[in-house]
Amino acid sequence: MANNAKKLSDEQDQHSGSEKVYSPPVPVRLDKAKKKRKKQDLWVIIGFMGPALLIYGLYVIYSIVMTFYYSLFEWSGIDNNMVFNGIQNYITLMGDAVFWTSLQNNFLLVGASLLTQLPLGLIMALLLFSPIKGMRFFRSIYFMPFLMSTVAIGILFIYIFDGNFGIVNQILGQLGLESWQRGWLGNEETAIWAVIATVCWQFAPFYMILFRAAIVGIPEELYEAADIDGANSRKKFFAITLPLLVPTIITSSILSIIGALKYFDLIYVMTDGGPNNSTELMATYMYEQTFTNFNMGYGSSISFSMFIIALIVTIFIIIFDQKRKGAS
């Protein structure tokens, strides 16, 4: 009797065990929880970045795509008469002497910006840390050109470079250099240099702020150790300050190059690309073709060419910087 009861109990245990729900191991449950949490985090990221990505896609990506699309047509930009001509606008562009002049002026502005704006910005940033009295006043004065309206700067320098009563010719006359006097903005040989000088004067303070912020971030302990080793100011600059400013220099170079390749406003105010297209830039030539000559298709081909050139130059700089980091 007792044996039968035990056998029946064992059969019930086996039967009830077969009905138990399978419980996965702990690592499997943790892995599922991690995947679920990652999905939730992904949706949170999309929620925060979504509006910015939407605006960027609408006003940047979509604009680039439509610029290339319009460049394939002969179109005034006003009526609906769009005639497809393929790459004919780009073929015409390759033989356009004014476009090549504007491209040359853009690269001339790039070189002048790199060799003038960045060194001036670094020098002014270093001066802000010098023990000269009244540095707060100079800090405001240094940054003032960048705060001024571009139109106001353009009009100001039109008067400064005026051939009759401009201050440049007045100073040259006082120094006995009358043979150097000329109408700076009306001369094809000097107009581009006068405009470039104005652009560099305007944007050098911007790079001063970038370099000053980078210099503030350099640990003071490095300079104290250099003082203990007996290093002078020159050695500290070349051994500590300049090497640690290389990332900022790379970033500033990219900003300077891209800004110079798409520059427009000051040239438009001061010379409008003249005289005889000697100060023409790609952006001013694009504006002239698109909104003055009402040649939207050709203007779009110039605009898309600007984008491709700027993209190639930027990629080249980034690759160079990555190789530099890998070598170091």
Side-chain angles (χ1 to χ4, degrees):
M1 186 74 177
N3 291 334
N4 292 335
K6 183 178 180 182
K7 184 178 180 181
L8 180 62
S9 176
D10 292 340
E11 290 178 354
Q12 289 178 350
D13 290 340
Q14 291 176 1
H15 181 69
S16 61
S18 63
E19 293 180 351
K20 288 182 180 180
V21 179
Y22 173 75
S23 180
V26 174
V28 176
R29 284 181 292 180
L30 289 175
D31 187 50
K32 288 183 178 180
K34 286 182 180 179
K35 289 182 179 179
K36 184 178 180 181
R37 187 161 55 249
K38 285 183 179 180
K39 288 183 180 180
Q40 293 175 347
D41 294 341
L42 177 63
W43 283 112
V44 171
I45 293 171
I46 293 174
F48 280 106
M49 295 183 62
L53 292 175
L54 179 63
I55 294 174
Y56 182 80
L58 180 63
Y59 289 99
V60 178
I61 304 299
Y62 176 76
S63 299
I64 293 172
V65 172
M66 292 308 296
T67 298
F68 176 71
Y69 174 74
Y70 291 142
S71 70
L72 302 177
F73 291 85
E74 183 180 346
W75 181 40
S76 65
I78 299 176
D79 54 31
N80 294 325
N81 186 21
M82 299 176 65
V83 180
F84 180 79
N85 62 359
I87 61 172
Q88 183 58 45
N89 285 328
Y90 293 95
I91 296 174
T92 304
L93 192 65
M94 292 300 100
D96 191 341
V98 178
F99 172 74
W100 289 109
T101 299
S102 66
L103 180 61
Q104 178 183 345
N105 289 336
N106 269 112
F107 278 106
L108 190 63
L109 181 58
V110 167
S113 300
L114 292 175
L115 297 176
T116 306
Q117 294 179 21
L118 270 63
L120 281 177
L122 180 57
I123 291 171
M124 290 190 293
L126 292 172
L127 286 175
L128 294 179
F129 291 94
S130 61
I132 301 176
K133 292 184 179 180
M135 267 299 106
R136 290 185 178 180
F137 172 76
F138 287 108
R139 189 180 305 170
S140 303
I141 295 298
Y142 288 163
F143 196 62
M144 189 173 294
F146 190 69
L147 298 177
M148 294 177 63
S149 165
T150 302
V151 176
I153 292 174
I155 295 174
L156 172 65
F157 276 86
I158 287 174
Y159 287 109
I160 290 176
F161 290 118
D162 187 86
N164 296 318
F165 51 85
I167 189 172
V168 174
N169 282 345
Q170 295 292 331
I171 294 174
L172 292 174
Q174 294 293 328
L175 296 175
L177 301 174
E178 289 83 1
S179 61
W180 289 21
Q181 293 177 335
R182 64 198 67 202
W184 297 92
L185 296 177
N187 190 310
E188 293 183 21
E189 296 180 356
T190 59
I192 186 64
W193 297 108
V195 173
I196 287 176
T198 307
V199 174
C200 294
W201 179 82
Q202 179 187 12
F203 285 97
F206 171 74
Y207 299 102
M208 174 196 72
I209 296 299
L210 294 182
F211 286 125
R212 183 182 181 276
I215 293 172
V216 169
I218 297 176
E220 190 66 29
E221 293 81 3
L222 298 177
Y223 294 107
E224 293 175 356
D227 290 332
I228 294 173
D229 292 336
N232 55 26
S233 299
R234 180 176 173 274
K235 288 184 178 180
K236 285 191 288 186
F237 173 76
F238 286 103
I240 300 175
T241 306
L242 191 60
L244 293 178
L245 288 179
V246 169
T248 305
I249 293 173
I250 297 294
T251 302
S252 300
S253 299
I254 294 175
L255 293 175
S256 179
I257 291 171
I258 300 303
L261 287 175
K262 65 184 183 65
Y263 199 74
F264 170 78
D265 43 6
L266 195 61
I267 301 286
Y268 181 76
V269 173
M270 293 183 68
T271 63
D272 195 18
N276 195 24
N277 301 118
S278 61
T279 61
E280 201 80 76
L281 299 180
M282 288 188 292
T284 58
Y285 190 47
M286 178 270 295
Y287 180 87
E288 177 185 346
Q289 290 293 329
T290 305
F291 300 107
T292 303
N293 299 339
F294 296 103
N295 194 347
M296 176 66 75
Y298 193 60
S300 297
S301 66
I302 299 172
S303 179
F304 191 75
S305 299
M306 290 171 55
F307 166 73
I308 294 299
I309 292 170
L311 180 63
I312 292 173
V313 172
T314 304
I315 291 174
F316 176 78
I317 294 174
I318 293 174
I319 293 174
F320 173 78
D321 185 42
Q322 292 297 327
K323 288 184 177 180
R324 180 192 62 82
K325 290 180 179 178
S328 60

